[in-house]
Amino acid sequence: MDKGRGELQLVVFRLKEQVYGVDINHVLEIIRAAGVTAIPGAPAFVEGVINLRGRVIPVIDLARRLGLGTTGRSENTRIIIVEVGGATAGMVVDGVSEVLRLSPDDIQPPPAMVAGVSAAFLRGIALVGERLVILLDVTRIFHREEKEALRELSREA
Amino acid sequence: MFTGEEIAIYLEELEEKIQAINDNVLLLEREGGSPEVIQEIFRAAHTIKGSSAVMGYEKITSLTHEIENLFDLLRQGKMEVSENLVNVLFEALDALKLLKDEITGAGGGVDVSAVIEKLRSCRAGCGAGEPDAAPAGGELPPAPAADELPAGGSAYRFELELEEAVEEVVREAEVRGFQAYQVDIGIDRGCQMKGVRAFLIFETLQQAGEIIKSVPPAEDLQEGRYGEGFTVVLLTREDAGQVRDLVFSIAEVSSVEVRPIKLRSGEQPAAREAAGQQARKEANASPGRENIKTVRVDVQKLDNLMNLVGELVIDRTRLDRFVEVFESRYGSDDLVENIVEISNHLGQVTGDLQEEIMKARMLPVAHVFNRLPRMVRDLAHKLGKEIDFIIEGRETELDRNVIEVISDPLIHLLRNAVDHGIEPPEERVRLGKPRAGRLLLKAAYVESQIVITLSDDGRGMDPEKIRQRAVEKGLLTPEQAARAGEREVLDLIFAPGFSTASSVSDISGRGVGMDIVRNQIEQINGSVEFTTTPGRGTTFTIKLPLTLAIIRALMVTLGDHVYAFPLTNVLETLTFKPGEIQRVRHAEVVVVRGQVLPLVRLAHLFQEKSREEGRLSVVVLGSGDKKVGVVVDRLIGEQEIVIKSLGGYLGQVPGLSGATILGDGKVALIVDARAIVKETGVEDAALEMSRAG
């Protein structure tokens, strides 16, 4: 059943020409990006809220969250619904490609900055064949300290 | 030792019984000791004692034991109800509550010895202390004299008649997995130390379980005042054989007979009535005897159910759309008609389901009300006032979330009424009023709301005094005060920093009261108003939604989005031509019926693109004394919406109070109307001013 302890399964997706992965244990489902209601007054990286089968779920624009600017919408745009610390939230990505299995040995600690993304959001990087997959730390992405939130809000104003 | 579930059941019962004692002690104080009241307290104390002993909470056991002893004397008419007694009882009740907190971990280190001492001295003070009551209560059956006992040689045996209270303990113990045994113990005729033997037997049996009754009473037994034997009722998890062996391990025990106690079933009121004098009273007062008809459910589960039903409702709305499409595409086809029928039925069922789940979340308002009589009583005592506190409509049910919020404002209003409203007895007599002030708290359903009224027949409020006070406090200029109407003046009591009390007392706080009361009530989409007549009294009316989960809202559009305004804050809707808007400094205003109404544009607040079409639609919001007109693109209409939170991740978003899901599955945001009014609204009085100026 499980090949070697600690094997990691990643949901791999594209965002701004880069390939990222998140731990599949955090991922609840992947849905099409539609029907997002924008929230006035929320931080810029908050895309809005969606109706996920009767629940109202916040969705973030992952590109903005990572400080990569905006990304365009296309046929392939998806929302990855994740569960972090008991809360459910979504993140908009350019397209989901596959589920990868990795051994922890394949993962290297992240350099201070990869492709413009701060190491604070990263779990590491992995070289899979020819590709570099950037492993995101979902808990960090959805962790908002009070200070940060305030800073975001004041930047808005 | 005990599972969390068992402890929870115990605590729930404890709470219930403490409340029962509380209610009845209040009655005792007000109406003196009627046999029913005394019996109720006795039984409640006894029940607590029994279950606490089983659970091993010794302090509660000994405290309730004392209460029980006291009431046993009262029951037998060997003692009178006195003021001192009532006060000590209240003290004992407070101690009980603290002990309960100790169990739940909310407190600790409670010392009950002082209270127990007081209870004892009450008993001693009445001069009827001897002989002492049996620990297990009961009507002190005469100790069987030696010559009534079976002749020597044969085993000691006694036909035990269980009192109601003991039966109840037995029944509860059985529920908890204990078996009750009647243990008849014969002691050698030549025994020299009967008291010691009895003591040892008690000690031994108590290691195996709990003795809840003995004949003769324990005190007599330990003094050696018994014949050839005695009988105890033991609650234990051991079997009969083990109990027997235990007793036989004591010297000079000549016979032991252990019989499980078979309780009469609850369906024999006739037999019961014959059996006891008090039985009649209790036939309808013991729901515990019936089969279990309720289950305890975590609120979280109900919330989940509610969410699931929400999903159903949305799917049903979507189905409706398909039905329309089918109808227009295929006409009155058989299959289409079937779908219509199914869709309609589904709609009905989901509607009912939603309602039922909503009801399941409701609690009787008694949860809050029951705590109040004691508070009023203490306050009245402290302030030297006499008060008839009447509660009506305890059974009215409210959403549990509403119940949690309503308690604080209610307590505040009550305190005000007792402190400032109701006059001291002498003053009342002088005014030709009854000595005791009347305070009526009432809950009732009115349409789709709960209305709670609190009226007193006290001083009422004097608009002139309030006017004066408002000027002193700088809330109004003398000119404004002179011009303000009576209603406006009265509503100033809700203004922050206003207090009519001539002295700040520790009862009604420091004048931060009424604005907070209003705030708390409005936070749950309720409203509070009052009427007052100087010299005749004041009536507060609190209107609350049945539930917090569903509200009526006014739906509007702005740009591509739909927003919802809670209807409780919507005063009216208006439409204007753009030309009617005037500018006062930087602000936009319109004149409505001679009053100036400030305007804010929702598009501006929310930084969204507006799509105005000629006329302006304005939603007039009001909260407290303030008003503001909010310009939106288009009014859609009223609708019931299910409130959903935006989730912890987003937290509080300024200007929004939540979200809801529309029939088409889209999310609409709920506007925090109160906040908008608070920040941008202008007070009524000021509106008057600007008209005049």
Side-chain angles (χ1 to χ4, degrees):
Chain A
M1 286 281 282
D2 73 355
K3 290 189 296 173
R5 271 178 307 130
E7 189 201 61
L8 200 63
Q9 288 192 47
L10 295 178
V11 173
V12 177
F13 58 90
R14 282 177 295 107
L15 185 69
K16 298 220 87 164
E17 318 297 319
Q18 272 293 339
V19 180
Y20 295 86
V22 290
D23 189 340
I24 203 166
N25 290 321
H26 283 298
V27 177
L28 295 178
E29 61 187 299
I30 294 152
I31 60 170
R32 283 179 176 279
V36 180
T37 301
I39 296 187
F45 63 80
V46 173
E47 178 89 2
V49 284
I50 53 161
N51 163 21
L52 185 71
R53 289 186 306 280
R55 293 169 68 194
V56 174
I57 307 286
V59 174
I60 63 163
D61 181 333
L62 186 60
R64 275 184 184 250
R65 179 67 180 126
L66 298 179
L68 304 173
T70 48
T71 176
R73 292 296 124 92
S74 76
E75 264 293 282
N76 296 324
T77 304
R78 292 288 183 275
I79 297 172
I80 301 181
I81 307 288
V82 294
E83 189 166 26
V84 189
T88 308
M91 48 192 202
V92 179
V93 301
D94 287 345
V96 177
S97 46
E98 66 197 302
V99 175
L100 260 184
R101 287 161 188 271
L102 284 182
S103 127
D105 304 336
D106 298 338
I107 301 168
Q108 292 156 30
M113 201 82 158
V114 187
V117 178
S118 152
F121 295 127
L122 304 182
R123 266 180 76 176
I125 51 172
L127 205 57
V128 183
E130 295 284 285
R131 291 177 308 169
L132 179 73
V133 178
I134 303 170
L135 266 68
L136 291 177
D137 185 342
V138 182
T139 31
R140 292 307 302 266
I141 288 169
F142 284 94
H143 181 75
R144 270 178 59 202
E145 273 140 32
E146 209 72 1
K147 264 189 235 156
E148 193 186 356
L150 285 175
R151 203 167 54 232
E152 288 288 342
L153 284 175
S154 55
R155 197 182 302 160
E156 293 273 296
Chain B
M1 212 171 111
F2 291 97
T3 64
E5 190 117 332
E6 281 170 320
I7 293 173
I9 291 171
Y10 164 75
L11 282 174
E12 197 165 285
E13 178 193 86
L14 183 61
E15 166 93 45
E16 199 177 278
K17 297 296 173 198
I18 289 179
Q19 187 61 48
I21 298 180
N22 182 58
D23 292 349
N24 282 295
V25 174
L26 283 167
L27 275 176
L28 195 70
E29 182 178 41
R30 192 145 21 103
E31 290 160 11
S34 74
E36 293 83 21
V37 168
I38 291 172
Q39 182 67 13
E40 274 300 315
I41 300 175
F42 177 81
R43 277 164 40 110
H46 181 77
T47 308
I48 297 178
K49 189 184 87 172
S51 50
S52 302
V54 172
M55 302 293 288
Y57 296 120
E58 283 169 24
K59 283 192 266 187
I60 299 188
T61 313
S62 48
L63 185 59
T64 40
H65 173 62
E66 288 303 326
I67 299 178
E68 189 188 342
N69 282 346
L70 210 53
F71 276 84
D72 198 41
L73 291 177
L74 284 167
R75 225 158 56 132
Q76 298 170 52
K78 290 185 183 167
M79 208 178 138
E80 291 291 316
V81 177
S82 69
E83 201 187 321
N84 177 43
L85 175 74
V86 171
N87 285 333
V88 172
L89 281 172
F90 274 124
E91 233 174 278
L93 262 178
D94 290 339
L96 262 183
K97 284 177 200 160
L98 288 176
L99 288 170
K100 185 180 148 246
D101 291 344
E102 200 175 66
I103 297 171
T104 55
V110 184
D111 182 19
V112 292
S113 56
V115 183
I116 289 183
E117 207 38 59
K118 281 188 189 174
L119 286 166
R120 281 200 182 128
S121 65
C122 268
R123 201 147 44 104
C126 80
E130 297 301 321
D132 216 341
E139 49 266 35
L140 278 180
D147 52 19
E148 286 171 41
L149 291 167
S154 70
Y156 173 82
R157 211 169 165 178
F158 182 74
E159 282 320 311
L160 188 68
E161 189 69 43
L162 287 184
E163 306 88 2
E164 195 86 3
V166 178
E167 271 189 29
E168 204 161 291
V169 177
V170 169
R171 200 164 270 120
E172 279 154 16
E174 279 176 2
V175 173
R176 297 201 173 90
F178 289 87
Q179 171 64 49
Y181 293 105
Q182 174 181 344
V183 188
D184 295 327
I185 302 157
I187 300 288
D188 279 348
R189 286 198 143 179
C191 176
Q192 292 301 308
M193 298 185 292
K194 287 164 92 177
V196 174
R197 292 294 159 239
F199 176 78
L200 284 175
I201 290 168
F202 265 65
E203 284 287 289
T204 311
L205 284 178
Q206 253 149 5
Q207 282 163 21
E210 211 235 339
I211 295 171
I212 56 165
K213 181 183 169 65
S214 71
V215 182
E219 282 84 348
D220 288 356
L221 290 175
Q222 294 189 11
E223 296 295 316
R225 289 198 294 270
Y226 61 92
E228 301 206 335
F230 58 93
T231 297
V232 299
V233 175
L234 178 76
L235 300 180
T236 179
R237 284 188 161 133
E238 313 283 323
D239 65 34
Q242 280 165 312
V243 173
R244 200 182 129 88
D245 292 346
L246 269 176
V247 180
F248 261 132
S249 69
I250 311 279
E252 296 186 294
V253 170
S254 61
S255 73
V256 179
E257 186 165 349
V258 182
R259 286 177 286 171
I261 290 177
K262 293 272 181 287
L263 292 172
R264 292 163 292 188
S265 75
E267 281 73 48
Q268 291 175 318
R272 180 163 302 229
E273 220 158 88
Q277 309 98 301
Q278 297 114 0
R280 249 164 294 130
K281 292 267 178 279
E282 284 147 22
N284 52 4
S286 41
R289 233 171 287 282
E290 288 163 24
N291 293 329
I292 298 166
K293 285 190 182 130
T294 56
V295 285
R296 294 152 47 86
V297 179
D298 190 337
V299 182
Q300 187 61 46
K301 280 189 187 160
L302 292 178
D303 285 347
N304 290 345
L305 277 177
M306 197 69 193
N307 275 334
L308 291 172
V309 172
E311 288 178 34
L312 264 186
V313 170
I314 290 157
D315 280 347
R316 185 206 75 115
T317 319
R318 290 174 60 192
L319 184 63
D320 247 7
R321 299 220 153 169
F322 281 108
V323 169
E324 277 168 31
V325 172
F326 283 154
E327 269 184 320
S328 64
R329 199 172 293 176
Y330 304 111
S332 58
D333 179 274
D334 265 4
L335 282 174
V336 173
E337 267 170 31
N338 272 339
I339 294 180
V340 172
E341 196 200 312
I342 293 170
S343 168
N344 285 343
H345 186 244
L346 190 64
Q348 235 169 40
V349 174
T350 42
D352 290 353
L353 190 59
Q354 196 168 15
E355 199 170 308
E356 286 301 317
I357 291 173
M358 201 86 84
K359 279 189 198 153
R361 291 172 48 96
M362 310 261 262
L363 286 176
V365 76
H367 277 259
V368 178
F369 281 12
N370 284 349
R371 286 188 275 148
L372 302 176
R374 170 72 192 279
M375 191 202 87
V376 169
R377 179 247 175 219
D378 284 358
L379 265 184
H381 259 238
K382 201 164 170 187
L383 296 166
K385 304 202 175 171
E386 287 179 25
I387 289 173
D388 249 341
F389 184 37
I390 302 152
I391 294 182
E392 288 177 13
R394 281 175 206 259
E395 68 291 343
T396 314
E397 289 191 326
L398 270 175
D399 190 285
R400 62 179 301 283
N401 298 331
V402 180
I403 288 207
E404 276 167 18
V405 182
I406 191 63
S407 144
D408 267 7
L410 263 186
I411 287 173
H412 208 100
L413 290 178
L414 269 174
R415 283 188 173 154
N416 273 339
V418 177
D419 195 8
H420 308 315
I422 298 205
E423 311 89 338
E426 303 73 36
E427 188 180 334
R428 290 182 63 89
V429 170
R430 212 167 42 241
L431 292 167
K433 293 181 177 183
R435 267 185 79 84
R438 194 182 131 94
L439 205 50
L440 173 68
L441 178 66
K442 190 172 152 186
Y445 298 105
V446 177
E447 285 161 23
S448 64
Q449 283 186 314
I450 301 276
V451 176
I452 297 176
T453 52
L454 176 67
S455 29
D456 66 67
D457 65 348
R459 290 189 185 108
M461 293 179 215
D462 184 352
E464 287 319 306
K465 273 193 188 159
I466 295 175
R467 206 183 294 264
Q468 224 178 314
R469 185 96 185 156
V471 174
E472 278 169 34
K473 291 260 168 186
L475 295 169
L476 291 182
T477 64
E479 298 77 47
Q480 286 174 322
R483 212 181 297 130
E486 191 173 302
R487 188 71 248 174
E488 287 163 51
V489 170
L490 286 175
D491 280 339
L492 282 171
I493 65 160
F494 291 119
F498 188 90
S499 162
T500 45
S502 26
S503 69
V504 168
S505 66
D506 66 332
I507 310 276
S508 304
R510 315 217 125 52
V512 288
M514 293 308 288
D515 59 319
I516 289 174
V517 167
R518 173 179 266 188
N519 244 318
Q520 284 174 320
I521 292 171
E522 285 184 350
Q523 250 161 30
I524 49 170
N525 292 312
S527 68
V528 54
E529 290 161 8
F530 71 99
T531 57
T532 185
T533 317
R536 302 287 290 279
T538 305
T539 299
F540 280 90
T541 306
I542 301 171
K543 290 186 182 153
L544 298 169
L546 281 181
T547 165
L548 294 185
I550 294 186
I551 57 165
R552 285 200 71 76
L554 175 69
M555 312 303 286
V556 305
T557 62
L558 176 70
D560 297 330
H561 290 121
V562 175
Y563 289 94
F565 286 87
L567 220 50
T568 39
N569 293 108
V570 176
L571 300 178
E572 59 180 328
T573 58
L574 305 163
T575 55
F576 295 99
K577 294 195 200 87
E580 287 177 82
I581 294 183
Q582 301 175 17
R583 287 195 162 265
V584 176
R585 275 176 235 125
H586 297 294
E588 290 182 310
V589 299
V590 285
V591 178
V592 185
R593 293 182 294 270
Q595 282 204 0
V596 176
L597 179 72
L599 292 181
V600 292
R601 289 176 185 261
L602 197 62
H604 178 72
L605 278 181
F606 288 170
Q607 287 161 8
E608 204 167 327
K609 282 189 206 78
S610 158
R611 292 197 193 146
E612 280 162 38
E613 304 140 3
R615 295 183 73 86
L616 294 176
S617 299
V618 174
V619 182
V620 182
L621 301 179
S623 170
D625 293 333
K626 291 181 165 183
K627 263 189 189 177
V628 66
V630 179
V631 183
V632 301
D633 281 3
R634 198 163 54 83
L635 305 170
I636 304 175
E638 286 179 35
Q639 189 180 319
E640 284 204 334
I641 57 169
V642 178
I643 300 177
K644 311 256 177 185
S645 105
L646 288 172
Y649 176 61
L650 290 175
Q652 279 294 106
V653 180
L656 299 176
S657 63
T660 188
I661 293 167
L662 301 173
D664 62 2
K666 286 215 180 96
V667 179
L669 299 173
I670 304 170
V671 178
D672 187 351
R674 282 171 12 91
I676 291 182
V677 178
K678 216 170 174 183
E679 275 163 35
T680 59
V682 172
E683 277 166 40
D684 258 349
L687 298 180
E688 295 273 344
M689 254 20 89
S690 48
R691 177 185 55 175

